[in-house]
Amino acid sequence: VAAKKRQTGSAIYSPQLDAGSQESLSLLSELRRAVEGGQLRLYLQPKVELKTGRVISAEALLRWQHPERGLVPPMQFIPFAEQTGFIRELTRWVLAESAQAWAALNAQNQALRISVNLSTRDLMDQDLPAKISAMLAQYGANTDSLCLEITESAIMDDPQRALETLNQLHEMGFKLSIDDFGTGYSSLAYLKGLPVDELKIDKSFVLAMETDLGDAKIVRSTIELAHNMGLTVVAEGLETGMAWKLLAELGCDEGQGYFIAKPMPQEQFSAWFKAWSAPDLSHESVETMLG
Ligand code: C2E
Ligand code: MG
Ligand code: MG
Ligand code: MG
């Protein structure tokens, strides 16, 4: 079934794919070629402070510029890379590219933190913390330049090992963030012991909050929970001006979403940053919008 699906061209990866199958092996070698042959692209999407519109950081999001299939979104190859362990190669590429992007933006006075997504396999890699510092040092970036985003489910795969790695990363000075909060199965009792700085409300709640009272309540209580735990809270999936206003009223610290900007390549991001930060544009209009 998986092979047929792939030939008809809709999805590169389907969860039915057998790890040892011919198809899986060929996808793996295609991915390897993607890394070596320069087919990966790093996209950046801003996170801004809702009170002021100030750009705080940018999330690094991976894309695959495939020679025949065009720009492939991460959900079509990241789960496969996680399943096979190849994700470590991808993470290494993303970290190096992010450090480089940070240095380039910083040189243009566009100082911000870059957020990189980590998966379970990365957390199981005991050399990860050392690899990250080496990568940053190469570009003159310090630990404060980077935030690491981890989903609840990635942590819950092996909570003990995850906690060890997270503690180590935290002690080194990296900011840590819980991604897609509200969609996993972690308990609050467990979360309170994690050395995290930030919580990202999953976009499913934020996208629905304007029309669904239940979602609005989840968003409101998550913001309160985060603040009670001393965490910065970020809303992902901020798609409208009304959502911005509501989130700001609820005290949400930061937002990320299509209303602000879609993920884009570094050059474009830099131009966006410049336009957004022009004094006559963003800051005043944010104040007007918030009334
Ligand atoms: P994520 O880490 O939760 O990233 C946020 C996703 O939400 C991104 O999807 C982003 O484009 C999308 N998004 C942002 N604002 C909006 C909005 O206003 N509306 C809607 N509908 N969507 C919005 P993307 O880039 O397709 O990435 C999907 C997921 O793939 C990421 O979710 C993350 O779990 C994974 N991913 C992407 N890059 C990497 C990577 O380098 N490493 C790892 N391990 N995972 C990655
Ligand atoms: Mg993320
Ligand atoms: Mg997320
Ligand atoms: Mg997500």
Side-chain angles (χ1 to χ4, degrees):
V1 179
K4 276 219 187 88
K5 233 191 206 159
R6 214 180 144 214
Q7 272 157 16
T8 58
S10 57
I12 286 196
Y13 164 79
S14 72
Q16 301 99 304
L17 209 58
D18 261 335
S21 69
Q22 195 49 49
E23 199 195 358
S24 166
L25 290 177
S26 78
L27 180 50
L28 197 56
S29 68
E30 245 192 299
L31 261 181
R32 218 168 258 133
R33 264 202 308 280
V35 179
E36 287 157 9
Q39 296 170 15
L40 297 180
R41 301 284 179 271
L42 190 82
Y43 274 47
L44 296 172
Q45 187 184 31
K47 291 191 214 173
V48 309
E49 185 175 57
L50 292 179
K51 245 191 273 178
T52 60
R54 194 166 63 94
V55 183
I56 307 284
S57 59
E59 179 168 7
L61 295 158
L62 194 55
R63 303 284 183 267
W64 180 2
Q65 185 64 59
H66 193 283
E68 285 112 43
R69 299 174 199 268
L71 199 64
V72 181
M75 288 330 277
Q76 287 197 27
F77 60 95
I78 293 228
F80 174 78
E82 283 171 349
Q83 201 179 297
T84 53
F86 193 73
I87 189 71
R88 289 184 188 190
E89 304 292 322
L90 297 181
T91 301
R92 199 189 318 200
W93 186 90
V94 170
L95 284 166
E97 205 65 17
S98 296
Q100 202 173 357
W102 177 88
L105 292 167
N106 199 51
Q108 300 170 60
N109 284 320
Q110 297 184 325
L112 44 66
R113 186 174 288 133
I114 298 207
S115 291
V116 169
N117 293 286
L118 295 184
S119 67
T120 316
R121 297 272 195 156
D122 296 310
L123 294 179
M124 297 306 122
D125 177 6
Q126 279 169 342
D127 299 330
L128 181 80
K131 275 186 211 156
I132 297 179
S133 353
M135 208 88 79
L136 290 181
Q138 208 181 325
Y139 293 98
N142 54 21
T143 51
D144 201 41
S145 330
L146 202 65
C147 173
L148 300 165
E149 297 190 1
I150 309 112
T151 60
E152 284 170 86
S153 28
I155 294 169
M156 295 317 286
D157 270 358
D158 186 344
Q160 194 49 47
R161 293 264 310 264
L163 183 61
E164 279 167 31
T165 310
L166 294 179
N167 275 332
Q168 207 178 338
L169 291 168
H170 177 74
E171 274 158 30
M172 289 166 78
F174 294 110
K175 288 256 173 309
L176 300 177
S177 173
I178 304 264
D179 206 350
D180 301 348
F181 186 77
T183 61
Y185 297 94
S186 54
S187 73
L188 293 176
Y190 183 74
L191 280 180
K192 82 174 200 293
L194 292 176
V196 296
D197 309 278
E198 176 185 284
L199 197 152
K200 294 182 85 173
I201 310 175
D202 189 70
K203 59 175 171 289
S204 57
F205 306 115
V206 179
L207 289 172
M209 75 176 182
E210 286 173 66
T211 50
D212 187 309
L213 191 57
D215 288 285
K217 285 177 178 167
I218 291 174
V219 169
R220 180 196 297 266
S221 7
T222 307
I223 293 168
E224 259 178 47
L225 172 75
H227 285 162
N228 288 337
M229 291 169 76
L231 307 178
T232 300
V233 58
V234 182
E236 49 173 48
L238 196 167
E239 287 193 356
T240 66
M242 180 53 80
W244 185 319
K245 195 168 167 15
L246 285 171
L247 289 162
E249 278 166 8
L250 292 173
C252 186
D253 303 296
E254 295 170 28
Q256 173 181 355
Y258 297 169
F259 180 73
I260 299 159
K262 288 198 169 177
M264 53 200 147
Q266 186 196 313
E267 306 266 284
Q268 213 180 313
F269 177 87
S270 183
W272 172 88
F273 195 142
K274 192 167 171 220
W276 180 269
S277 307
D280 53 323
L281 278 172
S282 69
H283 296 248
E284 276 174 34
S285 55
V286 167
E287 276 154 33
T288 316
M289 185 175 73
L290 296 180

